[in-house]
């Protein structure tokens, strides 16, 4: 997520991307794939944790579990 004046890979929800609408659209499409987060931050563990929690609160599709990914290899 990023603002319009500075390009960065900040934590999800800290910029201008409307993740609520994206989550709603993905659910409506039945998306069940993986999500990749590209976050660059001074405290990456905190930034990733924040981003994951934020997406979960929006109902972001969780994607396949580790077991499902191994089975489908």
């Amino acid at each position: 997520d990023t603002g319009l004046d500075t390009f960065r890979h900040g934590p999800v929800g800290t910029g201008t991307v409307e993740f609520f609408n994206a989550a709603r659209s993905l659910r409506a499409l039945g998306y069940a794939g993986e999500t990749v987060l590209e976050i660059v931050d001074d405290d990456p563990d905190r930034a990733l944790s924040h981003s994951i929690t934020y997406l979960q609160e929006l109902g972001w599709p969780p994607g396949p579990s580790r077991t499902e990914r191994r089975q489908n290899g």
Side-chain angles (χ1 to χ4, degrees), residues 6 8 10-13 15-16 21 23-25 28 32 37 50 52 56-57 61 66 69:
T6 304
R8 63 185 180 86
V12 173
T16 59
N21 293 331
R24 182 176 54 197
S25 295
L37 299 176
H50 165 84
I52 291 166
Q56 288 172 335
E57 289 172 355
R66 287 183 183 182
R69 286 194 306 267

Side-chain angles (χ1 to χ4, degrees), residues 39-70:
I39 298 173
V40 179
D41 193 87
D42 292 336
D43 187 353
D45 291 335
R46 180 200 56 79
L48 284 169
S49 178
H50 165 84
S51 297
I52 291 166
T53 299
Y54 184 84
L55 290 173
Q56 288 172 335
E57 289 172 355
L58 294 178
W60 195 269
S65 69
R66 287 183 183 182
T67 302
E68 291 170 325
R69 286 194 306 267
R70 279 190 217 117

Side-chain angles (χ1 to χ4, degrees), residues 3 7 26 29 32-33 35 37 54 56 70-71 73:
F7 182 76
L26 290 172
L29 292 169
T35 297
L37 299 176
Y54 184 84
Q56 288 172 335
R70 279 190 217 117
Q71 290 173 347

